Each structure stands twice: as structure tokens, then as C-alpha cells.
């Protein structure tokens, strides 16, 4: 229940200012910089407003995920073509500062805030979903599709997040071909 004279949520301008500043802080310094004091200093929005709407760094990260633009993609139904496109898209996203840095920050933040582990899982799951969709036409059982997605994506995430090197794009493309060469043709409409 809101108090008389107090809006239920931040204005669009306040929300945009705080979340834009939060993204800049996150990319420059990591999730630990997402304090009300730092956001206040960066935006001029009162600390009480920030605390009321984003009481923790996790709440700020959640809000950033909710406003993040979703990548539109068209599925052709050709698993090989779609998977190769997804490999390229994920490698590009991991290389680009917002997605790669955001993912690194949320992984680090989940280490010091157990509540963020679910948020991290949700974010990674969103990155994996296009691979699952691309594999759907193969007719592989769900558990085999999940194993296939893991075998393609895990090395890319390892490179991009833990080893701080460019994802092994060529290796992932070879893995796609290996996996699909083992799937009977009749399964891949």
C-alpha cells in the first residue's frame, strides 16, 4: 500500500537515470558498486527513493535484467544453420562489454549474495534458450538436447567469463557439426 502523495513506483525519468547509472557503475566497477550512495552520487536521485525502489544491489541487477533488450532472432528450422548463428551471436555478446561484463558481474555477485544465484541462473538460462530452440527440430530427447547445448556453450562461457579470453568460436562451430553429424538425418527435418 502506498502512502498518500507518494507514487507507487519511480517516474520513468528517475528509473531511466538510476538504471543507466547502475549499468555504468556495474560495467566499470562490478555489482558491489550498486549502492544507494553511489547511485545517488551518480544521479542526484535521493537515497531514500533509491532504497525504496531498489533496496539491494540484487534488486538493481534484477531491474537491469528486466529492462535489458531481448535479442530478436528468426528460427529457420535448419538446426545446423540456426546453431551456427547462435554460436556467433553468443560469442559476439560475450565479447561486447554490456553482456559479457554484466554476466561476469552477476556471477561474481552471486558468490557474495546467495539470493543472486537464482538471478544468475535465470540470466544464463536466457542465453541458453535459443540453443535449445535451434535443437528442437532434431527430435533429440530433452536430456540429450540439454547435453548438446552444454557441450557447445560451456566452453564459450568458460573462455569469456573465467579465463578472460575470446570465446573459442571455431571450436564451438566444430562441436555443432560433430553433434549434428551424429544425429540421424530423419530427425533433422
Amino acid at each position: 500500500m502506498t502512502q498518500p502523495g507518494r507514487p507507487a513506483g519511480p517516474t520513468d525519468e528517475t528509473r531511466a537515470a538510476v538504471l543507466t547509472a547502475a549499468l555504468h557503475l556495474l560495467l566499470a566497477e562490478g555489482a558491489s558498486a550498486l549502492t544507494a550512495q553511489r547511485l545517488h552520487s551518480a544521479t542526484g536521485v535521493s537515497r531514500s527513493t533509491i532504497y525504496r525502489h531498489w533496496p539491494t544491489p540484487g534488486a538493481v541487477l534484477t531491474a537491469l535484467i528486466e529492462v535489458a533488450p531481448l535479442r530478436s532472432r528468426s528460427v529457420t528450422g535448419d538446426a545446423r544453420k540456426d546453431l551456427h548463428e547462435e554460436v556467433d551471436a553468443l560469442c559476439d555478446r560475450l565479447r561486447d562489454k554490456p553482456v559479457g561484463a554484466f554476466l561476469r558481474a552477476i556471477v561474481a555477485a552471486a558468490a557474495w549474495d546467495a539470493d543472486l544465484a537464482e538471478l544468475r541462473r535465470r540470466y544464463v538460462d536466457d542465453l541458453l534458450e535459443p540453443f535449445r530452440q535451434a535443437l528442437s527440430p532434431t527430435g533429440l530427447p530433452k536430456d540429450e538436447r540439454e547435453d548438446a547445448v552444454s557441450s557447445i556453450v560451456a566452453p564459450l562461457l568458460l573462455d569469456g567469463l573465467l579465463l578472460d579470453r575470446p570465446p573459442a568460436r571455431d571450436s564451438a562451430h566444430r562441436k555443432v557439426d560433430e553433434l549434428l553429424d551424429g544425429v540421424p538425418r530423419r530427425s533433422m527435418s
Side-chain angles (χ1 to χ4, degrees):
M1 183 168 163
T2 61
Q3 296 177 6
R6 183 175 280 184
T11 65
D12 290 342
E13 294 84 20
T14 298
R15 183 174 184 77
V18 169
L19 294 180
T20 299
L23 182 60
H24 289 288
L25 284 170
L26 178 74
L27 297 179
E29 301 176 40
S32 62
L34 299 179
T35 65
Q37 178 59 45
R38 294 296 303 281
L39 291 169
H40 162 70
S41 295
T43 63
V45 173
S46 74
R47 286 182 302 207
S48 62
T49 296
I50 294 168
Y51 275 122
R52 184 171 44 253
H53 299 294
W54 304 281
T56 64
V60 177
L61 285 169
T62 299
L64 286 170
I65 287 176
E66 289 170 358
V67 299
L70 294 176
R71 189 175 65 83
S72 62
R73 84 183 268 306
S74 57
V75 179
T76 66
D78 177 339
R80 189 174 305 268
K81 180 179 185 292
D82 290 342
L83 282 170
H84 282 296
E85 286 179 7
E86 289 306 327
V87 164
D88 287 334
L90 181 58
C91 288
D92 292 346
R93 292 179 83 194
L94 289 171
R95 178 200 64 217
D96 296 340
K97 184 129 178 120
V99 173
F102 187 87
L103 189 50
R104 279 188 291 282
I106 200 167
V107 166
W112 51 263
D113 184 345
D115 293 337
L116 294 179
E118 175 59 25
L119 188 62
R120 177 195 59 207
R121 187 207 54 76
R122 183 177 123 204
Y123 190 74
V124 172
D125 210 41
D126 287 347
L127 292 175
L128 300 180
E129 187 56 32
F131 289 88
R132 293 181 183 116
Q133 290 175 6
L135 277 167
S136 289
T138 64
L140 288 171
K142 184 178 179 178
D143 59 334
E144 290 181 34
R145 282 195 316 264
E146 286 300 314
D147 289 346
V149 169
S150 292
S151 69
I152 296 166
V153 175
L156 299 175
L157 294 177
L158 175 69
D159 286 344
L161 298 177
L162 299 176
L163 300 177
D164 201 25
R165 63 184 183 201
R169 185 183 305 252
D170 293 339
S171 177
H173 283 299
R174 284 191 302 276
K175 187 61 168 176
V176 166
D177 290 333
E178 281 175 26
L179 286 166
L180 293 179
D181 287 346
V183 175
R185 283 279 177 217
R186 66 187 183 321
S187 298
M188 295 178 43
S189 312

